[in-house]
Amino acid sequence: MNFRGKLERPGPKKLLACDGGGVRGIVSIEILAHIEVELRKLTNNPRLVLADYFDYVAGSSVGAIIATLVALGLSVDQIRQFFAESASEMFRKARPWERLRTKFRDAHLSAALRAIIGEDTTIGSDLLQTLLMIVLRNATTNSPWPLSNNPAAIFNDRSLPSCNLDLPLWQLVRASTAAPTYFPPEVITVGEQTFIFVDGGITVYNNPAFQLFLMATSDPYRLCWPVGRERLLLVSVGNGTSIGTESHLTPTEMNIMYHANSIPHALMASAQYEQDLLCRIFGETLEGETLDGEVQDLKGQGIPGTPKLFTYLRYNAELSREGLESLGIPHINPAHVRQWDSIDFLDEMREIGAAIARHKVKTAHFAPFLV
């Protein structure tokens, strides 16, 4: 079944959202691997892939890579292999004279994406087995661009000269991963206009879960799937947060360079929190770590008298000493796994993802949504 079959398939709808986070996407992959294994057991189908279960997947930045490969019908083993073989090349340091512009070269990332997605594959291609949403930031218009292959979407009209469905999929994914200072921006021609795009994580949708819910259900996006805790499952997969990791910071350390490096990450972390909070308020939260001391994990809570619009599962962990100890992996050094480009610590990230999955993924949460 390609994505068009998911539009009319009866039964509950299942949504999957993958956070951005650079090479920490390895954490998300290990969580997804466990979900895939559990779904194979649940369906007694050893060949099941996530695209067989989910109807609509979304991602920002590295999450856009993962979501796209899921939507193309790859198994998580194949996705894991792609990252294992490509990560060191994708994060190859730029040459000294290039580092005033970007930290890493982009040719290797572009080549890897073209190879696995296909040079001629568009976002409207029938090769996609689920609906797909990718978040980009249009630097030219200074606006977020969540693009999808929903045929009913206003800018996916085939009669338009600038129909989004004709855009090269690999290039959209490359644009979504173009983190400023890390990779060069991506230039894409849409109809007769040329735009400069950067990382989708540099928007409020680095965690795209709530936006995915809106694009699946609300009027402006013209899909309008029915809501309800038994009708809609939203699974949100993170790759670690760094809350409470600067407890020894002093005011004198907060100079211009400190702010230049920390403010983008702080704004993205805040937006990520807000997306998760919205999902927990409007969804029936069955899984999710504590957000903060005031709201806790919001299980069984929301707006009094207001029905829940979906069932919500959030898989993530705090990359602090306490967070790692709670997962049973106290030997991992938090400093090794917090950075987006910690290419030397992939094994530790895999271990974190596997530990999150062991502690939090429950087959019973997925069973009610089988068709």
Side-chain angles (χ1 to χ4, degrees), residues 229 276-304 308 310-316 356 359-362 365:
R229 69 179 76 188
D276 192 8
L277 177 64
L278 289 170
C279 287
R280 298 187 196 215
I281 292 290
F282 291 101
E284 182 69 27
T285 305
L286 301 185
E287 185 55 62
E289 75 281 7
T290 296
L291 284 175
D292 62 41
E294 182 173 14
V295 304
Q296 299 294 313
D297 60 18
L298 284 166
K299 293 177 184 176
Q301 299 184 64
I303 300 175
K308 293 293 188 176
F310 52 91
T311 293
Y312 181 60
L313 306 173
R314 172 66 172 171
Y315 301 118
N316 201 27
I356 294 171
H359 281 76
K360 301 183 179 185
V361 174
K362 298 177 177 63
H365 292 162

Side-chain angles (χ1 to χ4, degrees), residues 33-52:
H34 195 87
I35 294 173
E36 188 176 76
V37 167
E38 293 304 309
L39 289 174
R40 288 176 176 180
K41 294 177 183 176
L42 186 63
T43 60
N44 197 29
N45 177 5
R47 300 182 65 183
L48 176 142
V49 295
L50 294 177
D52 296 326

Side-chain angles (χ1 to χ4, degrees), residues 58-175:
S60 295
S61 195
V62 70
I65 299 177
I66 296 169
T68 297
L69 299 185
V70 167
L72 286 169
L74 274 68
S75 69
V76 182
D77 276 346
Q78 290 173 305
I79 298 172
R80 181 194 283 129
Q81 181 179 355
F82 169 75
F83 271 81
E85 294 175 350
S86 305
S88 60
E89 287 296 312
M90 289 191 292
F91 286 86
R92 180 180 288 189
K93 297 279 188 181
R95 287 163 291 207
W97 59 88
E98 299 172 327
R99 292 181 191 173
L100 288 176
R101 184 166 176 256
T102 61
K103 189 173 183 179
F104 301 104
R105 304 184 197 181
D106 67 320
H108 301 284
L109 174 58
S110 298
L113 293 175
R114 283 197 301 269
I116 196 164
I117 294 172
E119 183 93 36
D120 301 320
T121 304
T122 64
I123 193 170
S125 170
D126 283 343
L127 293 175
L128 290 164
Q129 297 180 25
T130 73
L131 288 170
L132 172 66
M133 186 264 278
I134 298 172
V135 181
L136 304 80
R137 179 179 177 270
N138 190 326
T140 304
T141 62
N142 194 27
S143 59
W145 274 38
L147 299 180
S148 82
N149 60 340
N150 171 18
I154 188 169
F155 294 114
N156 288 349
D157 185 342
R158 288 287 188 187
S159 66
L160 295 174
S162 57
C163 176
N164 286 342
L165 293 177
D166 295 326
L167 296 174
L169 182 54
W170 77 265
Q171 198 172 21
L172 296 176
V173 175
R174 163 67 183 84

Side-chain angles (χ1 to χ4, degrees), residues 297-368:
D297 60 18
L298 284 166
K299 293 177 184 176
Q301 299 184 64
I303 300 175
T306 302
K308 293 293 188 176
L309 301 178
F310 52 91
T311 293
Y312 181 60
L313 306 173
R314 172 66 172 171
Y315 301 118
N316 201 27
E318 188 177 311
L319 301 179
S320 63
R321 172 57 57 204
E322 295 78 9
L324 296 173
E325 287 178 353
S326 71
L327 292 173
I329 45 177
H331 56 280
I332 292 180
N333 184 344
H336 289 176
V337 295
R338 289 178 191 153
Q339 301 303 313
W340 290 356
D341 57 347
S342 298
I343 196 70
D344 295 328
F345 302 104
L346 297 183
D347 288 341
E348 295 184 23
M349 293 179 192
R350 292 188 185 98
E351 194 171 351
I352 292 170
I356 294 171
R358 283 196 307 273
H359 281 76
K360 301 183 179 185
V361 174
K362 298 177 177 63
T363 308
H365 292 162
F366 295 89

